[in-house]
Short mmCIF file of all heavy atoms in Angstrom, two decimals:
data_model
loop_
_atom_site.label_atom_id
_atom_site.label_comp_id
_atom_site.label_asym_id
_atom_site.label_seq_id
_atom_site.Cartn_x
_atom_site.Cartn_y
_atom_site.Cartn_z
N ALA A 201 -6.88 6.68 8.50
CA ALA A 201 -7.67 6.29 9.66
C ALA A 201 -9.10 6.70 9.34
O ALA A 201 -9.34 7.55 8.47
CB ALA A 201 -7.16 7.02 10.89
N ALA A 218 -32.37 2.05 18.77
CA ALA A 218 -31.43 3.11 18.40
C ALA A 218 -30.96 2.88 16.96
O ALA A 218 -30.76 1.73 16.53
CB ALA A 218 -30.23 3.11 19.35
N ARG A 227 -29.56 -7.61 9.65
CA ARG A 227 -28.32 -7.22 10.33
C ARG A 227 -28.39 -5.75 10.72
O ARG A 227 -28.97 -4.94 10.00
CB ARG A 227 -27.10 -7.47 9.41
CG ARG A 227 -26.85 -8.94 9.20
CD ARG A 227 -25.44 -9.19 8.71
NE ARG A 227 -25.20 -8.61 7.41
CZ ARG A 227 -24.03 -8.16 7.01
NH1 ARG A 227 -23.00 -8.21 7.80
NH2 ARG A 227 -23.90 -7.66 5.80
N ILE A 240 -12.40 -1.49 2.37
CA ILE A 240 -11.59 -0.37 1.90
C ILE A 240 -10.14 -0.56 2.37
O ILE A 240 -9.85 -0.39 3.54
CB ILE A 240 -12.17 0.96 2.41
CG1 ILE A 240 -13.59 1.10 1.83
CG2 ILE A 240 -11.32 2.15 2.01
CD1 ILE A 240 -14.43 2.13 2.48
N GLY A 252 -22.85 6.42 24.73
CA GLY A 252 -22.14 5.74 25.83
C GLY A 252 -22.76 4.40 26.18
O GLY A 252 -22.06 3.40 26.36
N PRO A 291 -5.22 6.53 17.28
CA PRO A 291 -3.81 6.46 17.63
C PRO A 291 -2.99 7.23 16.61
O PRO A 291 -3.47 7.49 15.51
CB PRO A 291 -3.50 4.96 17.55
CG PRO A 291 -4.51 4.40 16.62
CD PRO A 291 -5.73 5.27 16.73
N LEU A 296 -4.00 10.78 6.79
CA LEU A 296 -5.34 11.10 6.29
C LEU A 296 -6.40 10.53 7.22
O LEU A 296 -6.23 9.44 7.76
CB LEU A 296 -5.54 10.45 4.90
CG LEU A 296 -4.85 11.09 3.70
CD1 LEU A 296 -5.15 10.26 2.46
CD2 LEU A 296 -5.32 12.53 3.50
N HIS A 300 -16.92 9.08 8.01
CA HIS A 300 -18.06 8.50 7.33
C HIS A 300 -19.18 8.18 8.31
O HIS A 300 -18.96 7.49 9.32
CB HIS A 300 -17.66 7.23 6.57
CG HIS A 300 -18.80 6.68 5.76
ND1 HIS A 300 -19.33 7.32 4.69
CD2 HIS A 300 -19.53 5.54 5.92
CE1 HIS A 300 -20.34 6.61 4.21
NE2 HIS A 300 -20.48 5.54 4.94
N VAL A 315 -12.35 9.87 -2.73
CA VAL A 315 -12.33 10.95 -1.74
C VAL A 315 -10.96 11.00 -1.05
O VAL A 315 -10.38 12.07 -0.84
CB VAL A 315 -13.49 10.78 -0.73
CG1 VAL A 315 -13.38 11.76 0.42
CG2 VAL A 315 -14.83 10.98 -1.45
N ALA A 324 -8.40 18.38 1.58
CA ALA A 324 -9.75 18.14 2.09
C ALA A 324 -10.66 17.82 0.91
O ALA A 324 -10.54 18.43 -0.15
CB ALA A 324 -10.29 19.35 2.83
N LEU A 329 -23.23 15.43 -4.50
CA LEU A 329 -24.11 15.10 -5.63
C LEU A 329 -24.70 16.38 -6.22
O LEU A 329 -24.98 17.32 -5.48
CB LEU A 329 -25.26 14.22 -5.14
CG LEU A 329 -24.92 12.80 -4.74
CD1 LEU A 329 -26.16 12.13 -4.15
CD2 LEU A 329 -24.41 12.02 -5.94
N ARG A 344 -39.46 32.73 -1.45
CA ARG A 344 -38.75 34.00 -1.33
C ARG A 344 -37.78 34.19 -2.49
O ARG A 344 -37.52 35.30 -2.93
CB ARG A 344 -37.93 34.05 -0.03
CG ARG A 344 -38.74 34.23 1.20
CD ARG A 344 -39.32 35.65 1.30
NE ARG A 344 -40.41 35.67 2.23
CZ ARG A 344 -41.51 36.38 2.11
NH1 ARG A 344 -41.67 37.17 1.08
NH2 ARG A 344 -42.46 36.31 3.02
N THR A 357 -21.23 11.98 3.23
CA THR A 357 -19.93 11.45 3.62
C THR A 357 -19.74 10.25 2.68
O THR A 357 -20.74 9.72 2.19
CB THR A 357 -19.88 11.00 5.10
OG1 THR A 357 -20.75 9.90 5.28
CG2 THR A 357 -20.23 12.14 6.01
N PRO A 409 -38.10 6.90 8.42
CA PRO A 409 -38.55 5.51 8.29
C PRO A 409 -38.60 5.00 6.85
O PRO A 409 -38.24 3.85 6.58
CB PRO A 409 -39.94 5.52 8.93
CG PRO A 409 -39.85 6.62 9.95
CD PRO A 409 -38.97 7.69 9.35
N PRO A 442 -23.62 -43.57 29.48
CA PRO A 442 -22.91 -43.18 30.70
C PRO A 442 -21.53 -42.61 30.37
O PRO A 442 -20.99 -42.83 29.28
CB PRO A 442 -22.76 -44.51 31.44
CG PRO A 442 -22.76 -45.55 30.35
CD PRO A 442 -23.59 -45.00 29.22
N LEU A 476 -27.84 -25.47 7.67
CA LEU A 476 -27.02 -24.54 6.87
C LEU A 476 -26.57 -25.20 5.57
O LEU A 476 -26.65 -24.61 4.49
CB LEU A 476 -25.78 -24.10 7.68
CG LEU A 476 -26.07 -23.20 8.88
CD1 LEU A 476 -24.83 -23.06 9.75
CD2 LEU A 476 -26.55 -21.82 8.42
N ALA A 480 -27.62 -24.21 1.65
CA ALA A 480 -26.61 -23.89 0.63
C ALA A 480 -26.57 -24.93 -0.48
O ALA A 480 -25.81 -24.80 -1.43
CB ALA A 480 -25.24 -23.79 1.29
N CYS A 482 -25.56 -28.04 -0.10
CA CYS A 482 -24.25 -28.70 0.05
C CYS A 482 -24.34 -30.04 0.77
O CYS A 482 -23.42 -30.43 1.48
CB CYS A 482 -23.29 -27.79 0.81
SG CYS A 482 -22.80 -26.33 -0.12
N ALA A 495 -10.57 -38.78 12.09
CA ALA A 495 -10.22 -37.37 12.34
C ALA A 495 -11.29 -36.68 13.17
O ALA A 495 -11.01 -35.69 13.84
CB ALA A 495 -10.05 -36.63 11.01
N ARG A 507 -16.23 -24.83 10.35
CA ARG A 507 -15.85 -25.36 9.03
C ARG A 507 -17.01 -25.26 8.05
O ARG A 507 -16.81 -24.97 6.87
CB ARG A 507 -15.40 -26.82 9.15
CG ARG A 507 -14.28 -27.05 10.16
CD ARG A 507 -12.95 -27.43 9.52
NE ARG A 507 -13.03 -28.47 8.52
CZ ARG A 507 -12.61 -29.72 8.70
NH1 ARG A 507 -12.09 -30.08 9.86
NH2 ARG A 507 -12.68 -30.60 7.73
N SER A 538 -29.31 -19.12 26.79
CA SER A 538 -28.58 -17.91 26.39
C SER A 538 -27.08 -18.23 26.18
O SER A 538 -26.43 -17.65 25.31
CB SER A 538 -28.78 -16.77 27.39
OG SER A 538 -28.33 -17.17 28.64
N ALA A 542 -25.08 -17.62 22.69
CA ALA A 542 -23.82 -16.85 22.61
C ALA A 542 -22.75 -17.67 21.90
O ALA A 542 -22.04 -17.17 21.02
CB ALA A 542 -23.36 -16.47 24.03
#
Side-chain angles (χ1 to χ4, degrees):
R227 291 199 296 149
I240 299 165
L296 285 178
H300 184 67
V315 171
L329 289 174
R344 287 288 161 217
T357 66
L476 292 168
C482 290
R507 305 249 312 253
S538 60

